[in-house]
Amino acid sequence: MTDNHGPVAGLLLAAGGGRRLGGRPKALLEHRGRPLVEYAAGVLRTAGCARVHVVLGARADAVRERAELPGCVLVDNPDWEEGMGSSLRAGLESLRGTGVRAALVSLVDQPGIGAEAAARLLGAYRSSATLASASYEGRRGHPVLLGADHWAGISATATGDQGARAYLKAHADAIALVECADVARPYDIDTVADLAHLE
Protein backbone atom coordinates (compact mmCIF):
# COMPACT_ATOMS: atom_id res chain seq x y z
CA MET A 1 0.00 0.00 0.00
CA THR A 2 1.29 3.47 -0.86
CA ASP A 3 -0.04 6.86 0.11
CA ASN A 4 -0.75 9.58 -2.41
CA HIS A 5 2.86 10.74 -2.17
CA GLY A 6 4.17 7.81 -4.20
CA PRO A 7 6.29 4.92 -3.06
CA VAL A 8 9.66 6.67 -2.62
CA ALA A 9 10.38 9.42 -0.10
CA GLY A 10 13.38 11.72 -0.14
CA LEU A 11 15.47 11.52 3.04
CA LEU A 12 17.95 14.36 3.50
CA LEU A 13 20.59 13.97 6.20
CA ALA A 14 21.36 17.53 7.35
CA ALA A 15 22.29 17.20 11.02
CA GLY A 16 26.07 17.60 10.92
CA GLY A 17 27.82 20.23 13.01
CA GLY A 18 30.62 20.98 10.56
CA ARG A 19 33.39 20.16 13.04
CA ARG A 20 36.12 20.65 10.40
CA LEU A 21 34.42 23.87 9.29
CA GLY A 22 34.96 25.51 12.65
CA GLY A 23 31.59 24.33 13.96
CA ARG A 24 29.44 25.83 11.20
CA PRO A 25 26.44 23.53 10.66
CA LYS A 26 26.46 22.33 7.07
CA ALA A 27 22.72 22.88 6.69
CA LEU A 28 23.25 26.64 7.13
CA LEU A 29 26.16 27.11 4.71
CA GLU A 30 25.17 29.49 1.92
CA HIS A 31 24.76 28.14 -1.60
CA ARG A 32 23.29 30.32 -4.35
CA GLY A 33 22.15 32.82 -1.73
CA ARG A 34 20.16 30.38 0.42
CA PRO A 35 20.96 27.83 3.16
CA LEU A 36 22.41 24.62 1.72
CA VAL A 37 19.63 22.54 3.30
CA GLU A 38 17.09 24.42 1.19
CA TYR A 39 18.99 23.68 -2.01
CA ALA A 40 19.40 20.00 -1.10
CA ALA A 41 15.71 19.54 -0.22
CA GLY A 42 14.83 21.23 -3.53
CA VAL A 43 16.99 18.71 -5.40
CA LEU A 44 14.94 15.83 -3.97
CA ARG A 45 11.67 17.56 -4.82
CA THR A 46 12.78 18.38 -8.39
CA ALA A 47 13.90 14.77 -8.83
CA GLY A 48 10.34 13.62 -8.13
CA CYS A 49 10.07 12.97 -4.38
CA ALA A 50 6.70 14.31 -3.25
CA ARG A 51 7.46 13.49 0.40
CA VAL A 52 10.77 14.78 1.78
CA HIS A 53 11.98 14.19 5.35
CA VAL A 54 14.89 16.33 6.55
CA VAL A 55 16.92 15.18 9.56
CA LEU A 56 18.20 18.14 11.61
CA GLY A 57 20.69 18.16 14.46
CA ALA A 58 23.26 20.90 14.94
CA ARG A 59 21.53 24.26 15.55
CA ALA A 60 18.20 22.79 14.46
CA ASP A 61 16.32 25.87 15.75
CA ALA A 62 18.42 28.18 13.59
CA VAL A 63 17.88 25.94 10.56
CA ARG A 64 14.10 25.98 11.16
CA GLU A 65 14.22 29.77 11.44
CA ARG A 66 16.38 30.52 8.39
CA ALA A 67 15.60 27.80 5.88
CA GLU A 68 12.40 27.68 3.87
CA LEU A 69 11.40 24.03 3.72
CA PRO A 70 7.69 24.09 2.82
CA GLY A 71 6.01 20.71 2.87
CA CYS A 72 9.06 18.95 4.29
CA VAL A 73 8.81 16.84 7.43
CA LEU A 74 11.54 18.04 9.81
CA VAL A 75 12.96 15.30 12.00
CA ASP A 76 15.06 16.17 15.05
CA ASN A 77 18.00 13.90 15.81
CA PRO A 78 19.03 14.59 19.42
CA ASP A 79 21.95 12.17 18.98
CA TRP A 80 23.41 13.91 15.91
CA GLU A 81 26.86 14.20 17.51
CA GLU A 82 27.18 10.40 17.32
CA GLY A 83 27.50 10.74 13.54
CA MET A 84 25.59 10.08 10.36
CA GLY A 85 24.41 6.62 11.47
CA SER A 86 22.14 8.13 14.12
CA SER A 87 20.64 10.53 11.56
CA LEU A 88 19.96 7.71 9.13
CA ARG A 89 18.25 5.72 11.90
CA ALA A 90 16.14 8.74 12.91
CA GLY A 91 15.18 9.41 9.30
CA LEU A 92 14.18 5.84 8.52
CA GLU A 93 12.21 5.66 11.77
CA SER A 94 10.30 8.83 10.76
CA LEU A 95 9.18 7.10 7.54
CA ARG A 96 7.65 4.09 9.30
CA GLY A 97 3.90 3.93 8.92
CA THR A 98 3.79 6.42 6.04
CA GLY A 99 3.21 3.79 3.36
CA VAL A 100 6.52 4.66 1.73
CA ARG A 101 8.29 1.66 0.16
CA ALA A 102 11.79 3.13 -0.24
CA ALA A 103 13.92 6.09 0.80
CA LEU A 104 16.15 8.09 -1.54
CA VAL A 105 18.89 9.17 0.88
CA SER A 106 21.05 12.20 0.14
CA LEU A 107 23.58 14.22 2.13
CA VAL A 108 23.28 17.97 2.66
CA ASP A 109 26.98 18.56 2.01
CA GLN A 110 27.05 17.30 -1.59
CA PRO A 111 25.72 20.21 -3.70
CA GLY A 112 27.46 18.83 -6.79
CA ILE A 113 24.82 16.10 -6.90
CA GLY A 114 21.72 17.60 -8.43
CA ALA A 115 18.23 16.58 -9.40
CA GLU A 116 19.31 14.71 -12.53
CA ALA A 117 21.37 12.16 -10.56
CA ALA A 118 18.67 11.88 -7.89
CA ALA A 119 16.03 11.27 -10.59
CA ARG A 120 18.14 8.47 -12.07
CA LEU A 121 18.22 6.77 -8.67
CA LEU A 122 14.47 7.22 -8.34
CA GLY A 123 14.16 5.43 -11.68
CA ALA A 124 15.93 2.39 -10.21
CA TYR A 125 13.04 1.78 -7.77
CA ARG A 126 11.25 -1.52 -8.42
CA SER A 127 9.87 -2.60 -5.03
CA SER A 128 10.47 -2.44 -1.29
CA ALA A 129 13.32 -4.91 -1.88
CA THR A 130 15.28 -2.46 -4.08
CA LEU A 131 18.81 -1.41 -3.16
CA ALA A 132 20.44 1.06 -5.54
CA SER A 133 23.37 3.44 -5.41
CA ALA A 134 24.74 6.20 -7.57
CA SER A 135 28.15 5.32 -8.92
CA TYR A 136 30.88 7.53 -10.28
CA GLU A 137 32.99 5.72 -12.87
CA GLY A 138 32.13 2.48 -11.11
CA ARG A 139 32.71 3.69 -7.53
CA ARG A 140 29.67 3.59 -5.27
CA GLY A 141 28.54 6.92 -3.81
CA HIS A 142 25.46 8.98 -2.98
CA PRO A 143 22.56 9.23 -3.27
CA VAL A 144 21.38 5.74 -2.33
CA LEU A 145 17.94 4.18 -2.65
CA LEU A 146 17.02 1.95 0.28
CA GLY A 147 13.94 -0.24 -0.03
CA ALA A 148 11.84 -0.58 3.12
CA ASP A 149 12.62 -4.32 3.38
CA HIS A 150 16.19 -3.31 4.30
CA TRP A 151 15.50 -0.56 6.83
CA ALA A 152 15.63 -2.74 9.95
CA GLY A 153 18.93 -4.28 8.89
CA ILE A 154 20.38 -0.87 8.01
CA SER A 155 19.26 0.65 11.32
CA ALA A 156 20.86 -2.24 13.21
CA THR A 157 24.26 -1.59 11.59
CA ALA A 158 24.22 2.22 11.19
CA THR A 159 26.67 3.42 13.83
CA GLY A 160 29.06 6.37 14.05
CA ASP A 161 29.67 7.90 10.64
CA GLN A 162 29.00 4.61 8.85
CA GLY A 163 25.45 5.26 7.75
CA ALA A 164 24.38 2.38 5.51
CA ARG A 165 27.94 1.52 4.43
CA ALA A 166 28.32 -1.73 6.40
CA TYR A 167 24.92 -3.00 5.30
CA LEU A 168 25.53 -2.13 1.66
CA LYS A 169 28.94 -3.79 1.75
CA ALA A 170 27.34 -6.98 3.08
CA HIS A 171 24.67 -6.85 0.35
CA ALA A 172 26.85 -5.64 -2.52
CA ASP A 173 25.49 -8.27 -4.92
CA ALA A 174 21.96 -6.89 -4.53
CA ILE A 175 22.82 -3.25 -5.29
CA ALA A 176 21.86 -1.79 -8.65
CA LEU A 177 24.58 0.70 -9.61
CA VAL A 178 23.35 3.80 -11.43
CA GLU A 179 26.15 5.65 -13.23
CA CYS A 180 25.98 9.40 -12.55
CA ALA A 181 29.48 10.72 -13.31
CA ASP A 182 28.18 12.44 -16.45
CA VAL A 183 25.65 14.56 -14.52
CA ALA A 184 27.03 14.97 -10.99
CA ARG A 185 30.19 15.59 -8.98
CA PRO A 186 30.27 13.74 -5.66
CA TYR A 187 32.51 16.04 -3.58
CA ASP A 188 31.72 16.74 0.10
CA ILE A 189 31.86 20.09 1.86
CA ASP A 190 33.97 18.93 4.79
CA THR A 191 36.79 21.44 5.22
CA VAL A 192 37.26 25.19 4.81
CA ALA A 193 39.00 24.55 1.47
CA ASP A 194 35.86 22.76 0.24
CA LEU A 195 33.81 25.93 0.69
CA ALA A 196 35.17 27.01 -2.70
CA HIS A 197 32.65 24.55 -4.23
CA LEU A 198 29.72 26.62 -2.96
CA GLU A 199 28.22 29.19 -5.30
Side-chain angles (χ1 to χ4, degrees), residues 22-116:
R24 282 189 282 176
K26 293 179 178 184
L28 289 172
L29 294 173
E30 287 242 326
H31 183 59
R32 300 181 181 172
R34 298 298 309 162
L36 193 49
V37 66
E38 230 177 81
Y39 172 79
V43 163
L44 289 170
R45 282 229 185 281
T46 304
C49 296
R51 175 190 286 275
V52 176
H53 286 215
V54 181
V55 181
L56 302 179
R59 300 206 28 223
D61 291 346
V63 176
R64 277 187 156 84
E65 209 172 283
R66 288 183 39 200
E68 290 175 26
L69 298 164
C72 292
V73 175
L74 304 183
V75 180
D76 280 307
N77 174 18
D79 303 318
W80 65 268
E81 288 182 84
E82 290 175 13
M84 184 171 46
S86 66
S87 291
L88 182 57
R89 288 196 309 270
L92 292 176
E93 186 58 40
S94 75
L95 290 171
R96 273 185 216 289
T98 61
V100 164
R101 309 285 304 280
L104 178 62
V105 181
S106 70
L107 308 180
V108 76
D109 67 348
Q110 294 190 318
I113 298 174
E116 208 170 337

